[in-house]
Amino acid sequence: MKKITKKEMIAFASGDLFGGGAQLIIGFFYLRFLTDVVRINPVLAGTVILVSKIWDAIADPVMGVVTDNTRTRFGRRKPYILAGFFLIVIAFTLLWFAPNFDSILGKFLFVLFSYIFYSTVSTIVTIPYTAFSSEISQDIKERDQVNGTRLFFSQVSSLIGAVLPMVIVGMFPEKTGYLFMGLIFSIFYAIPYLGIFLLCEERVPIPKEKRRFSLTEIISPFRVKTYRSLMGMYLSAFFVMDVVSAVFTYYMTYLIHREDLLEFVLGTMLITQIIMLFFVVMLAGKIGKPKTYMIGAAIFIVGTVALGFYRNSWPIETIFMISAVVGLGLTACIVIPWVMFPDVTDVSLLAFGERRSGSFAGFMAFLRKVSSAFGIWTIGLMLQLSGYMQPGEMIIPKNATAFINKEAMLIVDLQNDGNDDIRIDMKMQQVELLTNEKMDYVFDKDVLKIRLNNEQKDSMIVEKGLKVTDVYDFSKNSTLKSVNFYNQPESFMTGLRIIIFVLPSLLLLLAIFIARNYPLSRTIHERLLKFYEQKNKNKEEEEELKKWLV
């Protein structure tokens, strides 16, 4: 069997720039994009993700069977890899387009369509790519090396996806910024798939007979005990990652009041993952994959509990230390299940008499996306029930600054000299003047209008429901600017703390229990591979292996 070249390994691994980066950007920023930019409420935003992921989950196992049954001169997986080169650019860009519809229903239907379209494209590409990861070599060490390198690219892409999107968005008006960000990253994610198509080879024999498409075939992987154990570890870890990702921007903005540090905190978390990636793979080779996973899950629990109990009175450096701990634990929890996956596809040959990498990958994605769909929808519902208020917007003089204090009051510093000049409580509709500036103000429903020094036009506008930049005409010579403000009730803050550490802790404890009982140890795996090499297979040994693994 032809060895994998370094060029081929790097080309294949670069395909996970899309898998790692796109999901991180969506996980961290999309829910808030829907609530704060498209401006639909958290339940509707969660419903968009729920419906799209359920569709995605149904499509994944179907795609697994389709790619297993594909027969072309390029192989079973590569035709779909080539399609991804073109489709990703369209789908990921469209995902970040915020329509200007007046109708909430119109906005909801548009973003639902764009997310379903993106999910379909993702399925067409990622299921064959995941199956390809177990077929690019039949050598365990080569496969581990390929998948370790692939996950390195994934982590690097995650780091880029954590740091750069909001920088790009900030260079343009908000809606234009999100759309341009989507276009740039879509090109970045699409290009590697052309390299995979041109440079990589499938090295596993293709069965002559095609499998019939049936529900029994789709769910067949779940009949395998080893696969069920892997899914328990995988789903627990990735569900926790979904929860933390979905609420982390809310956490930094509303709980810590340091949205300006979001990219740096995420960067710390992801740099830790990149640094520790190969150490985790090396540790798994020494003490075993399940034990490495258990250590990572325990560290992850420590990190999420620390996030839940964080207080604003703590030094700001603390949040960076906590994020590094979370990143350290997350590395093992994300990497190990993917390193285990090719090993588990070896068991499919014992269970079914043929290698079903595509079906295993498809059903794995199905379970992942169903759990993610209901998880994120539940998060949206919890945010809504805990009293989440969509951010308001404020027009203030260009030299002024505005922020929310610990009492959730809006503070305006007119001269940007560090002194509080105006304190505003939008909930109680109260204004406190702390400067000698003359001021007239009026509350018009949920909008506060302020005029300073007897000016003819409004000097400040504070709102809850509208987007004032959509109705206020800014000229190039305007002396005003627009800023966002955030004012959340205490019930929302409490709910946010519970979401970020109670659910993760419980799920990770369950994952540790599953990992302790994982059946495919290194010794058993080596014995399984030697069994496959036998010309005259021992029936008693086969039954014993099935009892352990199937």
Side-chain angles (χ1 to χ4, degrees), residues 174-432:
E174 191 172 46
K175 291 183 179 180
T176 304
Y178 274 100
L179 184 62
F180 194 67
M181 179 274 291
L183 175 61
I184 290 175
F185 275 95
S186 69
I187 296 170
F188 177 63
Y189 296 143
I191 289 175
Y193 287 98
L194 184 60
I196 295 172
F197 178 78
L198 295 174
L199 299 174
C200 297
E201 296 181 22
E202 300 173 27
R203 289 178 169 81
V204 172
I206 300 175
K208 293 182 179 180
E209 293 185 4
K210 296 183 179 181
R211 301 205 328 270
R212 290 185 304 167
F213 182 84
S214 69
L215 181 61
T216 303
E217 290 291 327
I218 290 174
I219 66 174
S220 63
F222 209 64
R223 289 159 41 193
V224 179
K225 179 169 65 174
T226 307
Y227 186 85
R228 292 196 300 270
S229 295
L230 175 63
M231 289 303 96
M233 298 163 60
Y234 172 73
L235 293 177
S236 297
F238 276 79
F239 185 92
V240 170
M241 186 182 72
D242 287 339
V243 169
V244 175
S245 299
V247 300
F248 201 75
T249 54
Y250 297 95
Y251 177 86
M252 289 296 296
T253 301
Y254 302 125
L255 196 61
I256 298 181
H257 303 302
R258 292 305 301 266
E259 185 185 22
D260 58 312
L261 294 179
L262 175 61
E263 293 89 349
F264 300 104
V265 173
L266 292 179
T268 300
M269 187 185 303
L270 292 163
I271 287 172
T272 304
Q273 292 181 41
I274 293 171
I275 293 172
M276 299 305 298
L277 176 62
F278 289 110
F279 172 77
V280 166
V281 174
M282 181 180 68
L283 184 65
K286 290 187 175 182
I287 68 172
K289 297 167 188 176
K291 288 183 179 179
T292 304
Y293 179 93
M294 291 166 61
I295 292 171
I299 295 172
F300 201 171
I301 290 173
V302 172
T304 57
V305 170
L307 284 175
F309 284 94
Y310 181 85
R311 292 293 180 268
N312 287 335
S313 58
W314 295 3
I316 195 61
E317 293 82 5
T318 309
I319 193 64
F320 289 94
M321 295 172 61
I322 295 173
S323 67
V325 172
V326 171
L328 176 60
L330 190 58
T331 305
C333 290
I334 291 176
V335 169
I336 295 303
W338 283 112
V339 175
M340 285 177 162
F341 174 76
D343 301 343
V344 177
T345 62
D346 290 336
V347 181
S348 69
L349 189 59
L350 179 69
F352 305 109
E354 62 178 350
R355 184 179 293 275
R356 296 186 178 181
S357 303
S359 295
F360 273 44
F363 198 65
M364 184 177 185
F366 168 79
L367 294 172
R368 158 90 172 101
K369 288 170 182 177
V370 167
S371 68
S372 176
F374 282 98
I376 293 176
W377 183 84
T378 302
I379 295 303
L381 179 63
M382 292 177 71
L383 292 177
Q384 186 83 4
L385 293 177
S386 64
Y388 173 73
M389 295 170 58
Q390 287 182 318
E393 193 165 6
M394 184 177 186
I395 291 176
I396 59 176
K398 277 189 176 178
N399 293 330
T401 56
F403 61 94
I404 295 290
N405 68 5
K406 294 179 181 179
E407 288 74 37
M409 295 184 68
L410 180 62
I411 306 299
V412 180
D413 179 356
L414 291 172
Q415 305 301 327
N416 197 16
D417 57 7
N419 296 320
D420 298 352
D421 294 318
I422 304 173
R423 291 178 184 166
I424 302 169
D425 187 334
M426 289 297 292
K427 184 176 181 181
M428 302 301 295
Q429 294 198 343
Q430 294 177 350
V431 178
E432 183 180 358

Side-chain angles (χ1 to χ4, degrees), residues 29-192:
F29 304 118
Y30 195 64
L31 184 62
R32 193 167 165 220
F33 169 75
L34 294 180
T35 59
D36 294 5
V37 181
V38 179
R39 293 182 79 80
I40 58 178
N41 68 50
V43 172
L44 281 180
T47 301
V48 168
I49 298 172
L50 172 68
V51 174
S52 301
K53 283 187 175 290
I54 288 177
W55 160 255
D56 198 9
I58 293 171
D60 281 342
V62 173
M63 188 64 204
V65 175
V66 169
T67 188
D68 276 350
N69 286 338
T70 297
R71 302 291 186 273
T72 73
R73 66 189 182 94
F74 301 110
R76 292 190 289 179
R77 320 301 179 190
K78 289 170 68 172
Y80 305 104
I81 298 294
L82 180 62
F85 173 68
F86 300 99
L87 292 174
I88 288 171
V89 174
I90 301 171
F92 194 75
T93 303
L94 186 63
L95 195 66
W96 300 98
F97 176 73
N100 290 319
F101 304 151
D102 293 330
S103 166
I104 296 296
L105 178 60
K107 292 180 179 181
F108 171 77
L109 292 176
F110 180 86
V111 294
L112 179 62
F113 165 78
S114 64
Y115 203 162
I116 288 176
F117 178 61
Y118 167 79
S119 298
T120 304
V121 170
S122 179
T123 295
I124 290 171
V125 177
T126 57
I127 297 305
Y129 179 73
T130 302
F132 203 164
S133 72
S134 63
E135 297 173 349
I136 197 167
S137 175
Q138 295 188 59
D139 182 86
I140 297 176
K141 291 183 178 180
E142 277 193 342
R143 280 194 322 210
D144 286 351
Q145 191 176 8
V146 168
N147 283 286
T149 306
R150 178 170 70 90
L151 291 167
F152 172 76
F153 273 85
S154 177
Q155 294 299 318
V156 170
S157 183
S158 296
L159 175 61
I160 295 171
V163 175
L164 287 186
M166 292 303 102
V167 174
I168 296 172
V169 171
M171 297 169 63
F172 303 90
E174 191 172 46
K175 291 183 179 180
T176 304
Y178 274 100
L179 184 62
F180 194 67
M181 179 274 291
L183 175 61
I184 290 175
F185 275 95
S186 69
I187 296 170
F188 177 63
Y189 296 143
I191 289 175

